[in-house]
Amino acid sequence: MILSIASGKGGTGKTTVAVNLAISLEDVQLLDCDVEEPNANIFVKADLKRIETIYREVPDFDLEKCNLCGACADFCAYNAIAVTSKKLIFFPELCHSCGGCGLVCRENAIRWRRKEIGEIYRGCKDGIEIYQGKLKVGESIPIPVIRRMKELIDRSKNVIIDSPPGAGCPFIESVKGSDFCLLVTEPTPFGLYDLKIAVEVVRKLKVPFGVVVNKDGGGYKEVDLFCRSEGIPILLRIPHSEEIARLYSLGVPFSSQKRRWKEEFERLFESIEDLR
Amino acid sequence: MKVAISATGNDLNAFVDPRFGRCPFFILIDPENMEYEVIRNEASQSMGGAGIKAAQTVIKSGAGAVITGNMGPNAFAVLKAEGVKIYAGVSGKIKDVIQQFKEGKLKESESASVERHFGMRK
Amino acid sequence: MKEIVILSGKGGTGKTSLTSAFASLARNSVFADCDVDAPDLHLVLRPKIKKTIGFHGMKVAKINKEKCIECKRCIEVCKFGAINENLEIEKDECEGCGVCSYVCPANAIEMVDRISGFIYISETRFGPMVHAKLNPGEEASGKLVSQVKEKAREIAIDKEFLIVDGPPGIACPAIAALSGADLALMVAEPTLTGIHDLDRIIGVAEHFGIKHAVCINKSNLNLENADRIKDYCKEKDIEVVGEIPYDVNFVKAVVEGKTLLELDRTSKTSKLISKVWERLLQLIT
């Protein structure tokens, strides 16, 4: 089963849930798709090795042939090319690799080359096979890295995807195609508001989903009411606890210290299997 | 030589906009006779690479110098390639700034005043 | 008018709670929520929307079925897989490059504006507020943040302060929020991930030459890590303007749609925050 862990808002405990679930199960593949801020291995502590480099195609300009007409710069929707009266300057980090400049160039001055945009690391620790995607500094388009990470999925395993926060393209790319999505929220008006946005997106993707309420116990009932009225199952509640927060601050998954919680996460997984 | 100034408004009472790429207007002025025209900065509407596009707008306007608040290395590189003089780190009312320019009180920038930023992630 | 931006590299550090507490303290101010991905400030400031403006992000391709000759040249050239076999645009995939429109021999594809979200100009009990909402699945961008700030600046021109709740991260939106600020307050939490992300956002402020200070939130969560933040700041010569311990009243206030100071102005945390604010005023003037 492929299970993605997501949240509309950062800081709700997405990585906490992903990691605790991973250490509570057997035969796990954990994919950290939050390629801008890959934090899962702070908790898993596996020895990571780079296994792959991700590339994309960018134009290579033959300045002998180029007559500085400026057609490519005018066409580029991302302002990745500037043409002055003396020189053409290309800014590869802004390029989306759409291929448009090559089409509009009348001098046939554009060829293609590969540019490194990210890396994938792999490590194993206590039965968890962790993959970490990492976007290169200066790159702004994480999608190809996430896409490649997802090709490494071994469907015979319990696959857990730690998705990037927000509700934008990286979130969609990570969650797309999952068998189930767990949305992690906290019982505050902030948490609820961001949960509603995430719910809208996950519904559009037609991925079945449920909710984990983290830092529970403040007496705010609206998240529960919202889930009930929308028919969304709340599958786990993690109480607000100083002990859990302290363990988090040290980079320790709390269920590794508390037997009861390991069982809770096992049960969470079973209830997801039942729901499918 | 005409000078392009990133401006918060469309006359000489406006201020120097701290942003080069996303300022709403450029004021293209001839310091000799103080005649000026206002150029709308279409680049401010770009999703990314606003500085690069704005730099090309300035080049097309025929300006020989730019006065602005902050300028990143992308825009800087484009303007330098054309030989446009850059005076970054400037603030104040455009009227006053032009006066300072005429009196030679502004210092030409050797490098970008800010790091490249658009699309910067880690 | 002076502009203060509240930032944190990481989400969930309490940035919005602090910003809203400042709303209770700042007089004659305008507020802007630049966390356009997860805009939460309105939940506390409870704005009444006065004006709504559509926000256009990247353009999107539109196929005119009547002109289309079904040559499928567009499908071939699209690098994003955004045109399906039925010659329909998959809007979520389209990145607005315009290649399909360029190659279409029948002139059947047009690049059109798409409404990616809305910008709101509102009134709150503390003063005017500018905020935005992106449509689901739309990417936050420096452009939207810049537009929110621009509108806020227009309103704030004869006010004393513009207080900006910034987005998390260090990418384009965070930088757009920082740009042109007089002071940035970095909210850090004493966790391993929090320290990691603080370092990066400070790097961005340094690049921009923007004056900045740090406030440690939930400081009692891990005293050792709080000390590490203080050591880090000392080394970099950054002022730590306050240490605010975890307080359940933060959540309670949000639940009631109040700022922490509205809940109880005399509480210890409220007093600590008031001190932070006073220090910010000294730093900025």
Side-chain angles (χ1 to χ4, degrees), chain C residues 244-264:
Chain C
I244 299 167
Y246 179 79
D247 186 338
V248 284
N249 281 338
F250 271 119
V251 178
K252 208 174 155 204
V254 177
V255 168
E256 291 183 23
K258 289 180 180 166
T259 73
L260 194 77
L261 278 92
E262 285 176 310
L263 192 75
D264 181 4

Side-chain angles (χ1 to χ4, degrees), chain A residues 157-174:
Chain A
K157 294 196 173 189
N158 291 317
V159 182
I160 296 169
I161 298 174
D162 189 0
S163 316
C169 308
F171 169 98
I172 291 172
E173 195 63 40
S174 305

Side-chain angles (χ1 to χ4, degrees), chain C residues 109-129:
Chain C
I109 306 178
E110 210 188 332
M111 301 306 294
V112 297
D113 279 332
R114 81 162 116 195
I115 297 271
S116 305
F118 296 93
I119 296 171
Y120 307 106
I121 298 174
S122 303
E123 201 47 62
T124 76
R125 59 197 184 282
F126 304 106
M129 171 175 175

Side-chain angles (χ1 to χ4, degrees), chain A residues 22-39:
Chain A
I23 63 170
S24 306
L25 302 173
E26 271 160 27
D27 213 12
V28 170
Q29 225 184 5
L30 175 61
L31 270 62
D32 191 349
C33 284
D34 189 356
V35 299
E36 282 180 61
E37 307 273 0
N39 280 336

